[in-house]
């Protein structure tokens, strides 16, 4: 990444500190990744857990879910995902440039 | 020799019919599809072709998700998957031997 881009990302993270603090008060943590390269941008987890979520949830599962929704109806679009397992619940919100996952 | 695995209750035909009627009678529910172990629709409010066409992608989604979950946490197990699209909301609930697919109107609002 270019230095200007990294600087812009740091600015966004700084401006959203209040939001991320509110998330971590009620949830186990969050992961923010970039859509273009599926790279980790910001997280409250340790690096191994965050990379695992980005790799399996964002890069693999979310892309398939989005393409399946488009297959069923070309006008439709995936807005939000909730994955409830026995131990956790993953809330995945894909945006235009980023994907945010909150783990309850 | 083998430790007792947790016994899941049997899924009889009457249970499946009861679950189908119960879910179908809920407010805001548009369509219900029940798949068997092989992934074939056995009960549906859609036409048969529509049900087959609709359930195929969700079986693929479920398979991909379960493989991903086993990488993130091998001891975890999928209970429910909820997909919110622009026009509706789809719930996928894996049960013992059946899979429940529900299409309902979304209760929230997305400006997208």
């Amino acid at each position: 990444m270019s230095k200007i881009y990294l600087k812009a990302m740091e600015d966004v993270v700084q401006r959203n500190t209040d939001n991320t603090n509110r998330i971590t008060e009620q949830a186990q943590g969050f992961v923010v990744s970039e859509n273009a390269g599926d790279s980790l941008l910001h997280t409250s987890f340790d690096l191994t857990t965050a990379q695992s979520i980005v790799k399996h949830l964002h890069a693999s599962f979310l892309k398939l879910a989005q393409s399946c929704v488009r297959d069923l109806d070309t006008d439709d679009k995936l807005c939000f995902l909730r994955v409830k397992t026995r131990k956790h619940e993953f809330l995945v919100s894909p945006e235009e440039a980023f994907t945010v996952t909150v783990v309850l | 020799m083998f430790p007792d695995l947790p016994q899941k209750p049997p899924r009889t035909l009457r249970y499946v019919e009861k679950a189908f009627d119960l879910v179908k009678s809920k407010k805001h529910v548009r369509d219900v599809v029940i798949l068997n172990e092989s992934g074939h629709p056995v009960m549906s409010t859609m036409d048969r072709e529509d049900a087959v066409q609709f359930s195929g992608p969700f079986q693929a989604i479920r398979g991909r998700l379960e493989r991903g979950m086993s990488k993130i946490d091998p001891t975890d197990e999928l209970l429910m998957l909820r997909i919110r699209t622009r026009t509706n909301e789809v719930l996928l609930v894996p049960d013992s031997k059946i899979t429940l697919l529900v299409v309902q109107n979304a209760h929230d609002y997305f400006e997208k």
Side-chain angles (χ1 to χ4, degrees), chain B residues 26-55:
Chain B
K26 293 290 181 183
K27 201 181 174 187
H28 299 300
V29 168
R30 235 185 277 165
D31 282 310
V32 185
V33 184
I34 296 188
L35 319 175
N36 64 3
E37 274 180 304
S38 314
H40 299 132
V42 293
M43 281 186 191
S44 174
T45 55
M46 308 177 179
D47 293 341
R48 176 147 196 98
E49 290 82 12
D50 290 343
V52 172
Q53 191 123 357
F54 183 78
S55 56

PDB file of all heavy atoms in Angstrom, chain B residues 26-55:
ATOM      1  N   LYS B  26     -46.274 -18.587  10.396  1.00  0.00           N
ATOM      2  CA  LYS B  26     -45.738 -17.388  11.009  1.00  0.00           C
ATOM      3  C   LYS B  26     -46.016 -16.183  10.129  1.00  0.00           C
ATOM      4  O   LYS B  26     -46.074 -16.269   8.909  1.00  0.00           O
ATOM      5  CB  LYS B  26     -44.232 -17.520  11.223  1.00  0.00           C
ATOM      6  CG  LYS B  26     -43.834 -18.546  12.241  1.00  0.00           C
ATOM      7  CD  LYS B  26     -44.199 -18.095  13.626  1.00  0.00           C
ATOM      8  CE  LYS B  26     -43.775 -19.131  14.649  1.00  0.00           C
ATOM      9  NZ  LYS B  26     -44.172 -18.766  16.011  1.00  0.00           N
ATOM     10  N   LYS B  27     -46.137 -15.028  10.784  1.00  0.00           N
ATOM     11  CA  LYS B  27     -46.325 -13.791  10.036  1.00  0.00           C
ATOM     12  C   LYS B  27     -45.035 -13.459   9.295  1.00  0.00           C
ATOM     13  O   LYS B  27     -43.942 -13.809   9.733  1.00  0.00           O
ATOM     14  CB  LYS B  27     -46.663 -12.674  11.022  1.00  0.00           C
ATOM     15  CG  LYS B  27     -47.353 -11.479  10.400  1.00  0.00           C
ATOM     16  CD  LYS B  27     -47.608 -10.430  11.459  1.00  0.00           C
ATOM     17  CE  LYS B  27     -48.167  -9.156  10.862  1.00  0.00           C
ATOM     18  NZ  LYS B  27     -48.253  -8.086  11.878  1.00  0.00           N
ATOM     19  N   HIS B  28     -45.159 -12.797   8.178  1.00  0.00           N
ATOM     20  CA  HIS B  28     -44.040 -12.322   7.363  1.00  0.00           C
ATOM     21  C   HIS B  28     -43.315 -13.438   6.632  1.00  0.00           C
ATOM     22  O   HIS B  28     -42.427 -13.150   5.843  1.00  0.00           O
ATOM     23  CB  HIS B  28     -42.989 -11.560   8.190  1.00  0.00           C
ATOM     24  CG  HIS B  28     -43.522 -10.336   8.845  1.00  0.00           C
ATOM     25  ND1 HIS B  28     -44.059  -9.303   8.130  1.00  0.00           N
ATOM     26  CD2 HIS B  28     -43.607  -9.990  10.145  1.00  0.00           C
ATOM     27  CE1 HIS B  28     -44.451  -8.373   8.974  1.00  0.00           C
ATOM     28  NE2 HIS B  28     -44.194  -8.760  10.196  1.00  0.00           N
ATOM     29  N   VAL B  29     -43.636 -14.696   6.881  1.00  0.00           N
ATOM     30  CA  VAL B  29     -42.944 -15.776   6.182  1.00  0.00           C
ATOM     31  C   VAL B  29     -43.537 -15.910   4.792  1.00  0.00           C
ATOM     32  O   VAL B  29     -44.750 -16.020   4.634  1.00  0.00           O
ATOM     33  CB  VAL B  29     -43.064 -17.099   6.960  1.00  0.00           C
ATOM     34  CG1 VAL B  29     -42.622 -18.257   6.103  1.00  0.00           C
ATOM     35  CG2 VAL B  29     -42.220 -17.035   8.212  1.00  0.00           C
ATOM     36  N   ARG B  30     -42.657 -15.898   3.796  1.00  0.00           N
ATOM     37  CA  ARG B  30     -43.119 -15.969   2.419  1.00  0.00           C
ATOM     38  C   ARG B  30     -43.053 -17.382   1.869  1.00  0.00           C
ATOM     39  O   ARG B  30     -43.993 -17.858   1.249  1.00  0.00           O
ATOM     40  CB  ARG B  30     -42.256 -15.040   1.555  1.00  0.00           C
ATOM     41  CG  ARG B  30     -43.041 -14.018   0.774  1.00  0.00           C
ATOM     42  CD  ARG B  30     -42.141 -13.242  -0.113  1.00  0.00           C
ATOM     43  NE  ARG B  30     -41.493 -12.155   0.614  1.00  0.00           N
ATOM     44  CZ  ARG B  30     -40.447 -11.498   0.141  1.00  0.00           C
ATOM     45  NH1 ARG B  30     -39.921 -11.839  -1.006  1.00  0.00           N
ATOM     46  NH2 ARG B  30     -39.926 -10.517   0.829  1.00  0.00           N
ATOM     47  N   ASP B  31     -41.909 -18.040   2.065  1.00  0.00           N
ATOM     48  CA  ASP B  31     -41.709 -19.369   1.502  1.00  0.00           C
ATOM     49  C   ASP B  31     -40.976 -20.229   2.506  1.00  0.00           C
ATOM     50  O   ASP B  31     -40.166 -19.728   3.288  1.00  0.00           O
ATOM     51  CB  ASP B  31     -40.870 -19.298   0.221  1.00  0.00           C
ATOM     52  CG  ASP B  31     -41.694 -18.847  -0.957  1.00  0.00           C
ATOM     53  OD1 ASP B  31     -42.773 -19.423  -1.179  1.00  0.00           O
ATOM     54  OD2 ASP B  31     -41.266 -17.911  -1.647  1.00  0.00           O
ATOM     55  N   VAL B  32     -41.261 -21.520   2.469  1.00  0.00           N
ATOM     56  CA  VAL B  32     -40.582 -22.497   3.320  1.00  0.00           C
ATOM     57  C   VAL B  32     -40.176 -23.670   2.450  1.00  0.00           C
ATOM     58  O   VAL B  32     -40.967 -24.143   1.630  1.00  0.00           O
ATOM     59  CB  VAL B  32     -41.489 -22.991   4.461  1.00  0.00           C
ATOM     60  CG1 VAL B  32     -40.713 -23.903   5.386  1.00  0.00           C
ATOM     61  CG2 VAL B  32     -42.066 -21.828   5.230  1.00  0.00           C
ATOM     62  N   VAL B  33     -38.942 -24.118   2.615  1.00  0.00           N
ATOM     63  CA  VAL B  33     -38.455 -25.300   1.914  1.00  0.00           C
ATOM     64  C   VAL B  33     -37.786 -26.187   2.948  1.00  0.00           C
ATOM     65  O   VAL B  33     -36.993 -25.702   3.757  1.00  0.00           O
ATOM     66  CB  VAL B  33     -37.440 -24.938   0.812  1.00  0.00           C
ATOM     67  CG1 VAL B  33     -37.035 -26.171   0.033  1.00  0.00           C
ATOM     68  CG2 VAL B  33     -38.022 -23.895  -0.117  1.00  0.00           C
ATOM     69  N   ILE B  34     -38.116 -27.471   2.939  1.00  0.00           N
ATOM     70  CA  ILE B  34     -37.467 -28.424   3.830  1.00  0.00           C
ATOM     71  C   ILE B  34     -36.710 -29.430   2.971  1.00  0.00           C
ATOM     72  O   ILE B  34     -37.293 -30.052   2.078  1.00  0.00           O
ATOM     73  CB  ILE B  34     -38.495 -29.137   4.730  1.00  0.00           C
ATOM     74  CG1 ILE B  34     -39.158 -28.110   5.649  1.00  0.00           C
ATOM     75  CG2 ILE B  34     -37.812 -30.210   5.555  1.00  0.00           C
ATOM     76  CD1 ILE B  34     -40.042 -28.718   6.693  1.00  0.00           C
ATOM     77  N   LEU B  35     -35.400 -29.556   3.246  1.00  0.00           N
ATOM     78  CA  LEU B  35     -34.557 -30.472   2.496  1.00  0.00           C
ATOM     79  C   LEU B  35     -34.255 -31.688   3.348  1.00  0.00           C
ATOM     80  O   LEU B  35     -34.166 -31.589   4.570  1.00  0.00           O
ATOM     81  CB  LEU B  35     -33.241 -29.795   2.111  1.00  0.00           C
ATOM     82  CG  LEU B  35     -33.293 -28.345   1.649  1.00  0.00           C
ATOM     83  CD1 LEU B  35     -31.893 -27.834   1.439  1.00  0.00           C
ATOM     84  CD2 LEU B  35     -34.092 -28.211   0.394  1.00  0.00           C
ATOM     85  N   ASN B  36     -34.032 -32.825   2.691  1.00  0.00           N
ATOM     86  CA  ASN B  36     -33.635 -34.019   3.434  1.00  0.00           C
ATOM     87  C   ASN B  36     -32.110 -34.092   3.499  1.00  0.00           C
ATOM     88  O   ASN B  36     -31.412 -33.141   3.149  1.00  0.00           O
ATOM     89  CB  ASN B  36     -34.232 -35.270   2.799  1.00  0.00           C
ATOM     90  CG  ASN B  36     -33.710 -35.499   1.402  1.00  0.00           C
ATOM     91  OD1 ASN B  36     -32.855 -34.761   0.917  1.00  0.00           O
ATOM     92  ND2 ASN B  36     -34.229 -36.516   0.746  1.00  0.00           N
ATOM     93  N   GLU B  37     -31.593 -35.236   3.958  1.00  0.00           N
ATOM     94  CA  GLU B  37     -30.149 -35.352   4.144  1.00  0.00           C
ATOM     95  C   GLU B  37     -29.385 -35.189   2.850  1.00  0.00           C
ATOM     96  O   GLU B  37     -28.266 -34.678   2.836  1.00  0.00           O
ATOM     97  CB  GLU B  37     -29.824 -36.719   4.750  1.00  0.00           C
ATOM     98  CG  GLU B  37     -29.910 -36.758   6.246  1.00  0.00           C
ATOM     99  CD  GLU B  37     -29.579 -38.132   6.775  1.00  0.00           C
ATOM    100  OE1 GLU B  37     -30.243 -39.095   6.345  1.00  0.00           O
ATOM    101  OE2 GLU B  37     -28.662 -38.242   7.590  1.00  0.00           O
ATOM    102  N   SER B  38     -29.969 -35.643   1.756  1.00  0.00           N
ATOM    103  CA  SER B  38     -29.270 -35.550   0.479  1.00  0.00           C
ATOM    104  C   SER B  38     -29.366 -34.176  -0.150  1.00  0.00           C
ATOM    105  O   SER B  38     -28.765 -33.942  -1.190  1.00  0.00           O
ATOM    106  CB  SER B  38     -29.843 -36.578  -0.499  1.00  0.00           C
ATOM    107  OG  SER B  38     -29.992 -37.815   0.122  1.00  0.00           O
ATOM    108  N   GLY B  39     -30.132 -33.282   0.456  1.00  0.00           N
ATOM    109  CA  GLY B  39     -30.265 -31.955  -0.110  1.00  0.00           C
ATOM    110  C   GLY B  39     -31.416 -31.808  -1.068  1.00  0.00           C
ATOM    111  O   GLY B  39     -31.518 -30.796  -1.758  1.00  0.00           O
ATOM    112  N   HIS B  40     -32.299 -32.792  -1.129  1.00  0.00           N
ATOM    113  CA  HIS B  40     -33.450 -32.693  -2.018  1.00  0.00           C
ATOM    114  C   HIS B  40     -34.615 -32.073  -1.267  1.00  0.00           C
ATOM    115  O   HIS B  40     -34.865 -32.413  -0.113  1.00  0.00           O
ATOM    116  CB  HIS B  40     -33.849 -34.078  -2.520  1.00  0.00           C
ATOM    117  CG  HIS B  40     -32.765 -34.738  -3.288  1.00  0.00           C
ATOM    118  ND1 HIS B  40     -32.387 -36.039  -3.055  1.00  0.00           N
ATOM    119  CD2 HIS B  40     -31.969 -34.289  -4.276  1.00  0.00           C
ATOM    120  CE1 HIS B  40     -31.404 -36.360  -3.873  1.00  0.00           C
ATOM    121  NE2 HIS B  40     -31.137 -35.318  -4.621  1.00  0.00           N
ATOM    122  N   PRO B  41     -35.360 -31.182  -1.909  1.00  0.00           N
ATOM    123  CA  PRO B  41     -36.540 -30.618  -1.238  1.00  0.00           C
ATOM    124  C   PRO B  41     -37.624 -31.677  -1.093  1.00  0.00           C
ATOM    125  O   PRO B  41     -38.046 -32.276  -2.084  1.00  0.00           O
ATOM    126  CB  PRO B  41     -36.976 -29.487  -2.167  1.00  0.00           C
ATOM    127  CG  PRO B  41     -35.837 -29.264  -3.101  1.00  0.00           C
ATOM    128  CD  PRO B  41     -35.123 -30.546  -3.207  1.00  0.00           C
ATOM    129  N   VAL B  42     -38.082 -31.883   0.129  1.00  0.00           N
ATOM    130  CA  VAL B  42     -39.157 -32.842   0.369  1.00  0.00           C
ATOM    131  C   VAL B  42     -40.469 -32.130   0.634  1.00  0.00           C
ATOM    132  O   VAL B  42     -41.527 -32.686   0.396  1.00  0.00           O
ATOM    133  CB  VAL B  42     -38.823 -33.781   1.534  1.00  0.00           C
ATOM    134  CG1 VAL B  42     -37.662 -34.679   1.165  1.00  0.00           C
ATOM    135  CG2 VAL B  42     -38.504 -33.007   2.793  1.00  0.00           C
ATOM    136  N   MET B  43     -40.420 -30.917   1.155  1.00  0.00           N
ATOM    137  CA  MET B  43     -41.634 -30.129   1.357  1.00  0.00           C
ATOM    138  C   MET B  43     -41.319 -28.699   0.985  1.00  0.00           C
ATOM    139  O   MET B  43     -40.254 -28.188   1.312  1.00  0.00           O
ATOM    140  CB  MET B  43     -42.091 -30.171   2.813  1.00  0.00           C
ATOM    141  CG  MET B  43     -42.824 -31.428   3.159  1.00  0.00           C
ATOM    142  SD  MET B  43     -43.469 -31.324   4.818  1.00  0.00           S
ATOM    143  CE  MET B  43     -43.953 -33.004   5.057  1.00  0.00           C
ATOM    144  N   SER B  44     -42.262 -28.051   0.325  1.00  0.00           N
ATOM    145  CA  SER B  44     -41.977 -26.699  -0.125  1.00  0.00           C
ATOM    146  C   SER B  44     -43.267 -25.985  -0.434  1.00  0.00           C
ATOM    147  O   SER B  44     -44.252 -26.607  -0.834  1.00  0.00           O
ATOM    148  CB  SER B  44     -41.097 -26.734  -1.370  1.00  0.00           C
ATOM    149  OG  SER B  44     -40.942 -25.443  -1.880  1.00  0.00           O
ATOM    150  N   THR B  45     -43.266 -24.676  -0.226  1.00  0.00           N
ATOM    151  CA  THR B  45     -44.369 -23.855  -0.697  1.00  0.00           C
ATOM    152  C   THR B  45     -44.143 -23.373  -2.123  1.00  0.00           C
ATOM    153  O   THR B  45     -45.027 -22.791  -2.720  1.00  0.00           O
ATOM    154  CB  THR B  45     -44.538 -22.631   0.212  1.00  0.00           C
ATOM    155  OG1 THR B  45     -43.296 -21.952   0.279  1.00  0.00           O
ATOM    156  CG2 THR B  45     -44.955 -23.055   1.602  1.00  0.00           C
ATOM    157  N   MET B  46     -42.933 -23.589  -2.646  1.00  0.00           N
ATOM    158  CA  MET B  46     -42.663 -23.220  -4.035  1.00  0.00           C
ATOM    159  C   MET B  46     -42.991 -24.384  -4.954  1.00  0.00           C
ATOM    160  O   MET B  46     -43.263 -25.495  -4.505  1.00  0.00           O
ATOM    161  CB  MET B  46     -41.185 -22.883  -4.219  1.00  0.00           C
ATOM    162  CG  MET B  46     -40.613 -21.886  -3.271  1.00  0.00           C
ATOM    163  SD  MET B  46     -38.855 -21.734  -3.621  1.00  0.00           S
ATOM    164  CE  MET B  46     -38.411 -20.510  -2.421  1.00  0.00           C
ATOM    165  N   ASP B  47     -42.917 -24.112  -6.265  1.00  0.00           N
ATOM    166  CA  ASP B  47     -42.961 -25.212  -7.218  1.00  0.00           C
ATOM    167  C   ASP B  47     -41.721 -26.077  -7.046  1.00  0.00           C
ATOM    168  O   ASP B  47     -40.720 -25.643  -6.480  1.00  0.00           O
ATOM    169  CB  ASP B  47     -42.988 -24.674  -8.648  1.00  0.00           C
ATOM    170  CG  ASP B  47     -44.274 -23.938  -8.925  1.00  0.00           C
ATOM    171  OD1 ASP B  47     -45.241 -24.165  -8.173  1.00  0.00           O
ATOM    172  OD2 ASP B  47     -44.303 -23.139  -9.867  1.00  0.00           O
ATOM    173  N   ARG B  48     -41.787 -27.294  -7.564  1.00  0.00           N
ATOM    174  CA  ARG B  48     -40.657 -28.197  -7.360  1.00  0.00           C
ATOM    175  C   ARG B  48     -39.398 -27.656  -8.034  1.00  0.00           C
ATOM    176  O   ARG B  48     -38.313 -27.659  -7.456  1.00  0.00           O
ATOM    177  CB  ARG B  48     -40.998 -29.582  -7.901  1.00  0.00           C
ATOM    178  CG  ARG B  48     -39.834 -30.531  -7.817  1.00  0.00           C
ATOM    179  CD  ARG B  48     -40.284 -31.940  -7.578  1.00  0.00           C
ATOM    180  NE  ARG B  48     -39.156 -32.747  -7.133  1.00  0.00           N
ATOM    181  CZ  ARG B  48     -38.921 -33.024  -5.872  1.00  0.00           C
ATOM    182  NH1 ARG B  48     -39.730 -32.564  -4.940  1.00  0.00           N
ATOM    183  NH2 ARG B  48     -37.899 -33.742  -5.522  1.00  0.00           N
ATOM    184  N   GLU B  49     -39.541 -27.158  -9.277  1.00  0.00           N
ATOM    185  CA  GLU B  49     -38.357 -26.646  -9.973  1.00  0.00           C
ATOM    186  C   GLU B  49     -37.794 -25.433  -9.249  1.00  0.00           C
ATOM    187  O   GLU B  49     -36.582 -25.277  -9.109  1.00  0.00           O
ATOM    188  CB  GLU B  49     -38.708 -26.285 -11.418  1.00  0.00           C
ATOM    189  CG  GLU B  49     -39.001 -27.476 -12.300  1.00  0.00           C
ATOM    190  CD  GLU B  49     -40.426 -27.970 -12.134  1.00  0.00           C
ATOM    191  OE1 GLU B  49     -41.233 -27.255 -11.507  1.00  0.00           O
ATOM    192  OE2 GLU B  49     -40.732 -29.073 -12.615  1.00  0.00           O
ATOM    193  N   ASP B  50     -38.685 -24.555  -8.787  1.00  0.00           N
ATOM    194  CA  ASP B  50     -38.217 -23.374  -8.064  1.00  0.00           C
ATOM    195  C   ASP B  50     -37.518 -23.766  -6.771  1.00  0.00           C
ATOM    196  O   ASP B  50     -36.500 -23.175  -6.400  1.00  0.00           O
ATOM    197  CB  ASP B  50     -39.399 -22.451  -7.749  1.00  0.00           C
ATOM    198  CG  ASP B  50     -39.936 -21.797  -9.005  1.00  0.00           C
ATOM    199  OD1 ASP B  50     -39.206 -21.802 -10.015  1.00  0.00           O
ATOM    200  OD2 ASP B  50     -41.061 -21.299  -8.976  1.00  0.00           O
ATOM    201  N   ALA B  51     -38.054 -24.775  -6.081  1.00  0.00           N
ATOM    202  CA  ALA B  51     -37.435 -25.189  -4.819  1.00  0.00           C
ATOM    203  C   ALA B  51     -36.047 -25.768  -5.062  1.00  0.00           C
ATOM    204  O   ALA B  51     -35.104 -25.475  -4.319  1.00  0.00           O
ATOM    205  CB  ALA B  51     -38.323 -26.211  -4.118  1.00  0.00           C
ATOM    206  N   VAL B  52     -35.914 -26.585  -6.110  1.00  0.00           N
ATOM    207  CA  VAL B  52     -34.596 -27.149  -6.411  1.00  0.00           C
ATOM    208  C   VAL B  52     -33.616 -26.044  -6.780  1.00  0.00           C
ATOM    209  O   VAL B  52     -32.478 -25.999  -6.316  1.00  0.00           O
ATOM    210  CB  VAL B  52     -34.719 -28.178  -7.548  1.00  0.00           C
ATOM    211  CG1 VAL B  52     -33.354 -28.621  -8.008  1.00  0.00           C
ATOM    212  CG2 VAL B  52     -35.541 -29.363  -7.092  1.00  0.00           C
ATOM    213  N   GLN B  53     -34.089 -25.114  -7.608  1.00  0.00           N
ATOM    214  CA  GLN B  53     -33.219 -24.018  -8.038  1.00  0.00           C
ATOM    215  C   GLN B  53     -32.825 -23.136  -6.857  1.00  0.00           C
ATOM    216  O   GLN B  53     -31.705 -22.632  -6.800  1.00  0.00           O
ATOM    217  CB  GLN B  53     -33.964 -23.179  -9.076  1.00  0.00           C
ATOM    218  CG  GLN B  53     -33.109 -22.174  -9.787  1.00  0.00           C
ATOM    219  CD  GLN B  53     -33.146 -22.377 -11.287  1.00  0.00           C
ATOM    220  OE1 GLN B  53     -33.767 -23.307 -11.768  1.00  0.00           O
ATOM    221  NE2 GLN B  53     -32.477 -21.509 -12.004  1.00  0.00           N
ATOM    222  N   PHE B  54     -33.744 -22.960  -5.922  1.00  0.00           N
ATOM    223  CA  PHE B  54     -33.486 -22.070  -4.792  1.00  0.00           C
ATOM    224  C   PHE B  54     -32.570 -22.717  -3.771  1.00  0.00           C
ATOM    225  O   PHE B  54     -31.691 -22.060  -3.221  1.00  0.00           O
ATOM    226  CB  PHE B  54     -34.822 -21.702  -4.146  1.00  0.00           C
ATOM    227  CG  PHE B  54     -34.700 -20.741  -3.021  1.00  0.00           C
ATOM    228  CD1 PHE B  54     -34.507 -19.399  -3.260  1.00  0.00           C
ATOM    229  CD2 PHE B  54     -34.776 -21.180  -1.714  1.00  0.00           C
ATOM    230  CE1 PHE B  54     -34.395 -18.507  -2.214  1.00  0.00           C
ATOM    231  CE2 PHE B  54     -34.665 -20.296  -0.660  1.00  0.00           C
ATOM    232  CZ  PHE B  54     -34.473 -18.958  -0.921  1.00  0.00           C
ATOM    233  N   SER B  55     -32.750 -24.010  -3.510  1.00  0.00           N
ATOM    234  CA  SER B  55     -32.003 -24.636  -2.418  1.00  0.00           C
ATOM    235  C   SER B  55     -30.575 -24.964  -2.819  1.00  0.00           C
ATOM    236  O   SER B  55     -29.713 -25.074  -1.952  1.00  0.00           O
ATOM    237  CB  SER B  55     -32.713 -25.907  -1.968  1.00  0.00           C
ATOM    238  OG  SER B  55     -32.896 -26.774  -3.062  1.00  0.00           O
TER     239      SER B  55
END
